[in-house]
Amino acid sequence: MKRRTMKTWVLVSGMALILGASIAVSVPSEVGAGTPCCSITTVDRKTGIVTAKNTATGETFKFRLSDAAQIGNIKIGDQVSTDFQTRQVTVHSFQPAEGILIRTPRPRPPIK
């Protein structure tokens, strides 16, 4: 290989490696569709809005069922997994959700 070609190849390879690493680091890991992270805490049968809580962080979120007739199938304590980037929710007995409506951060501990 010519010296100039070799320098170009090393430069392009290095830039690709840096770009790939920065993308991998910047994208937060999400729970897979098969791994429940949350559980249902309330079900509002009038509005069709369901509230769930992330068991690891304490953060809550609300979502609406895509098929309102399935509201009777959901009960408090049912396991849920989420993908906050695509706003998809999976209730592990079926796939009913339109998306996450509201995310509520975990309450701060009291100051002592």
Side-chain angles (χ1 to χ4, degrees), residues 11 17 20 25 35 37 42 44 46 48 56-57 63 74 85 88 94 98 100 104 109:
L11 180 64
L17 182 63
V25 170
T35 308
C37 67
T42 60
D44 187 333
K46 289 182 181 178
T57 66
F63 62 94
I74 293 181
Q85 290 181 339
Q88 294 297 311
F94 51 90
E98 289 179 355
I100 299 164
T104 308

Side-chain angles (χ1 to χ4, degrees), residues 1 3-17:
M1 252 186 195
R3 189 170 186 85
R4 182 178 171 106
T5 306
M6 182 67 127
K7 283 183 180 180
T8 303
W9 183 83
V10 169
L11 180 64
V12 170
S13 297
M15 289 175 61
L17 182 63

